[in-house]
Amino acid sequence: MATIGLSKPYYAIYAEAGGVVSYSDGAVMGKATEANISIETTEDNNLYGDNGLAETDRRFANGTLTLSTTDLSQEVSKAILGLTEQAITGIDGVTDTSVKELVYDDAQVTPYLGVGFIIKKKVNGAYKWRGVVLPKVMFSVPEDAATTQGESIEWQTPELTGTIMRDDSATHVWKKEATFTTEAQAEAYIKARLGIAA
C-alpha cells in the first residue's frame, strides 16, 4: 500500500478508572499536513539453550508523535496543552472583549490525550483510508518560529511533538488501526474510539 495523503487529526482528553480507559471533550485539531510516528522498543532479551538462541523478546518502550496542522487554534492549544484563558483588560485601544489571552504558567496541567488521524492509501488502483488511534499521548509546548513575508508566501505550519505511551487498560494498548474503503468510515472509527459523538 502506498501512502498518498493525511487528514482529520482528532484529539480527546484521556481518563482511566479501575483499568477502564475513557475519553471526553474530543474535537478535530485542524487540517493535517504531516504526521510521523517513531517507535522505540526494548533491547533484545535473548534466551539461549542447546548452545544457540532459543527465544527472544522485544517490546514497545515508548514513541514520539510529530504532527503538523495548517493552524493551531487558541481553543485547541488550550485543550491539548492544559492552558488557562483570561480576558484582556486595561489596554488602551483594545475594546474587543471576545479576545482572550492564553496563559502559560505554573497552573498549566498538560493532559493525557487520545489522538487519531487518517492515512490515505492506494492499493491495486483502489483508494483506502487507514484510521490510526494512539490511545495515550502527551504533547509538549510547540516551538514558536516565523519567517518574515517576502515576494512570495513561504507557508509556515505549527508542529506538535508528543510522547506516545501505553494506556492503562489490562493489555496496555499503545496503538490501534483499521483500514476502510471510505474516509467517512475511517473518521467514524476514530470518533468511536475517542468517544466523540458522530
Side-chain angles (χ1 to χ4, degrees), residues 128-147:
K128 302 284 185 183
W129 287 265
R130 182 173 146 224
V132 176
V133 176
L134 302 171
K136 190 175 182 182
V137 174
M138 181 182 280
F139 284 118
S140 300
V141 174
E143 294 181 9
D144 275 325
T147 303

Side-chain angles (χ1 to χ4, degrees), residues 40-73:
E40 292 186 24
T41 58
T42 58
E43 296 295 321
D44 287 340
N45 185 4
N46 297 329
L47 171 65
Y48 290 87
D50 285 347
N51 302 315
L53 182 62
E55 298 282 351
T56 191
D57 183 65
R58 179 178 277 197
R59 296 176 180 251
F60 170 85
N62 61 63
T64 302
L65 168 65
T66 306
L67 180 64
S68 296
T69 57
T70 55
D71 188 30
L72 191 58
S73 72

Side-chain angles (χ1 to χ4, degrees), residues 163-176:
T163 300
I164 302 169
M165 294 163 268
R166 298 171 186 254
D167 73 9
D168 297 293
S169 66
T171 57
H172 304 108
V173 179
W174 59 270
K175 182 181 175 186
K176 295 179 181 181

